[in-house]
Amino acid sequence: YSAGYSPNAEPMWTYFTAVAGQDGEVDAEELQSCLTQSGISETYSPFSLETCRIMIAMLDRDYTGKMGFNEFKELWAALNAWKQNFMTIDQDRSGTVEHHELSQAIAVMGYRLSPQTLTAIVRRYSKNGRIFFDDYVACCVKLRALTDFFRRRDHLQQGFVNFIYDDFLQGTMAI
Amino acid sequence: YSAGYSPNAEPMWTYFTAVAGQDGEVDAEELQSCLTQSGISETYSPFSLETCRIMIAMLDRDYTGKMGFNEFKELWAALNAWKQNFMTIDQDRSGTVEHHELSQAIAVMGYRLSPQTLTAIVRRYSKNGRIFFDDYVACCVKLRALTDFFRRRDHLQQGFVNFIYDDFLQGTMAI
Ligand SMILES: [Ca+2]
Ligand SMILES: [Ca+2]
Ligand SMILES: [Ca+2]
């Protein structure tokens, strides 16, 4: 008896349209309210505005700084997968995971990175040696966005790209 | 009668050592207290933790996530120059500047970017169409850090660089 829509997408549409207003798109502040209202962070702290900005940048290929409902659904699916990972690691629900656990999670997601790069990433997203949910998600969003940006230029899938300065900054400054 | 040190560096040394503790270096949280105590933000909001993290990443070439006093002095000089620019633009001290004013400031700093890239950058660092001091500084720090990273690989100064995926992520994920 479902009217052709996914049962999970419907409550999302309600939150989304409520904050999106007339233009049907959300900016970073609106995305933050939308995600907070949805309760996706559960007992973890709600997403920071900075994390919401890079969530938008991840999917914002036309650089309008806003997100429509289709992109929002794509984000929603990614967030739920990342949250599932995080909760699997953070079994005591303390809200934080350890350095080596983030390294493992990144490897499990399929990113193949040198130990040096992994160390630099893990340190960057830690506070006093621990990784909080919001920072973990920020890390996942950036990893995916920067990898997508790189792959879109790596036409022959060779693992290297010749970047012009302006294009390099356009892709990396927004994320 | 100056004992060989710059008169401006001395109070900085006091703030810095007070928060740095035994290891003589500051992490992002300590840098945030140090800059707040220094009063550099004046009537503007103090720097966010996120901005302090990218300040450290800008100068952290060995990826330890910490900053010594020499790097701190380098940061201090850059911050004062950026603040001077911002205050020149924000003449009414409202705490925010407009889109076209940030574009001009970036051009004045010597960055030559396409209009499309400038637009993407300005939108990314705005809140409701205005740019706050903290976001302006975050933008300046990222521009400088990403440009330094690019230039260190552009050995022949040709304006393009062939990046391997792992190196690309190592340089961009931390910033
Ligand atoms: Ca858009
Ligand atoms: Ca835990
Ligand atoms: Ca103003």
Side-chain angles (χ1 to χ4, degrees), chain A residues 125 142 146 168 172, chain B residues 146 149 167-175:
Chain A
Y125 295 91
K142 279 182 104 158
L146 289 166
F168 172 78
T172 56
Chain B
L146 289 166
F149 174 67
D167 184 48
F168 171 79
L169 277 193
Q170 191 175 119
T172 56
M173 278 297 288
I175 298 160

Side-chain angles (χ1 to χ4, degrees), chain B residues 75-88:
Chain B
L75 172 67
W76 186 252
L79 283 181
N80 279 288
W82 291 328
K83 183 174 122 180
Q84 208 54 55
N85 282 348
F86 190 87
M87 288 171 69
T88 306

Side-chain angles (χ1 to χ4, degrees), chain A residues 49-50 53 63-64 114 117 123-125 127 135 142 147 159-161 163 165-166 170 173-175, chain B residues 49-50 53 63-64 114 117 123-125 127 135 142 147 159-161 163 165-166 170 173-175:
Chain A
L49 186 58
E50 176 65 21
R53 281 170 163 184
Y63 300 115
T64 59
S114 68
T117 299
R123 190 167 289 127
R124 166 65 170 82
Y125 295 91
K127 281 176 185 136
D135 291 315
K142 279 182 104 158
T147 299
F160 53 84
V161 171
F163 280 105
Y165 173 67
D166 187 78
Q170 190 174 120
M173 278 297 289
I175 299 161
Chain B
L49 185 58
E50 176 64 22
R53 281 170 164 185
Y63 300 114
T64 60
S114 67
T117 299
R123 188 166 291 124
R124 167 66 172 80
Y125 295 91
K127 280 176 185 136
D135 291 316
K142 278 181 105 157
T147 300
F160 54 83
V161 171
F163 281 105
Y165 173 66
D166 187 78
Q170 191 175 119
M173 278 297 288
I175 298 160

Side-chain angles (χ1 to χ4, degrees), chain B residues 64-116:
Chain B
T64 60
K66 297 197 162 198
M67 178 181 275
F69 188 61
N70 280 335
E71 285 91 357
F72 181 77
K73 279 192 291 188
E74 204 178 329
L75 172 67
W76 186 252
L79 283 181
N80 279 288
W82 291 328
K83 183 174 122 180
Q84 208 54 55
N85 282 348
F86 190 87
M87 288 171 69
T88 306
I89 306 170
D90 179 28
Q91 293 192 335
D92 62 357
R93 298 295 283 273
S94 68
T96 60
V97 300
E98 313 298 325
H99 275 193
H100 67 280
E101 294 168 331
L102 177 57
S103 290
Q104 282 171 3
I106 290 173
V108 168
M109 287 177 225
Y111 296 103
R112 275 177 295 169
L113 299 171
S114 67
Q116 205 190 347

Side-chain angles (χ1 to χ4, degrees), chain A residues 89-98 130:
Chain A
I89 307 170
D90 178 30
Q91 293 191 335
D92 61 357
R93 299 293 285 273
S94 69
T96 60
V97 302
E98 311 299 323
R130 321 206 68 180

Side-chain angles (χ1 to χ4, degrees), chain A residues 61-169:
Chain A
R61 303 215 177 124
D62 57 354
Y63 300 115
T64 59
K66 297 197 163 198
M67 178 180 273
F69 188 60
N70 280 334
E71 285 91 358
F72 181 76
K73 278 193 292 188
E74 206 178 327
L75 172 67
W76 185 253
L79 283 181
N80 278 287
W82 291 328
K83 183 175 121 178
Q84 208 55 56
N85 281 349
F86 189 86
M87 288 171 69
T88 306
I89 307 170
D90 178 30
Q91 293 191 335
D92 61 357
R93 299 293 285 273
S94 69
T96 60
V97 302
E98 311 299 323
H99 274 194
H100 68 279
E101 294 168 330
L102 178 57
S103 290
Q104 282 171 4
I106 291 172
V108 168
M109 288 178 226
Y111 296 103
R112 274 178 295 169
L113 299 172
S114 68
Q116 205 190 348
T117 299
L118 269 179
T119 304
I121 290 174
V122 169
R123 190 167 289 127
R124 166 65 170 82
Y125 295 91
S126 311
K127 281 176 185 136
N128 296 318
R130 321 206 68 180
I131 297 108
F132 288 82
F133 181 60
D134 181 53
D135 291 315
Y136 164 86
V137 169
C139 176
C140 292
V141 171
K142 279 182 104 158
L143 259 179
R144 180 172 146 175
L146 289 166
T147 299
D148 283 354
F149 174 67
F150 189 92
R151 285 212 187 117
R152 281 201 297 278
R153 266 85 182 159
D154 187 13
H155 305 292
L156 302 174
Q157 307 286 315
Q158 293 176 306
F160 53 84
V161 171
N162 207 3
F163 280 105
I164 295 167
Y165 173 67
D166 187 78
D167 184 47
F168 172 78
L169 277 194

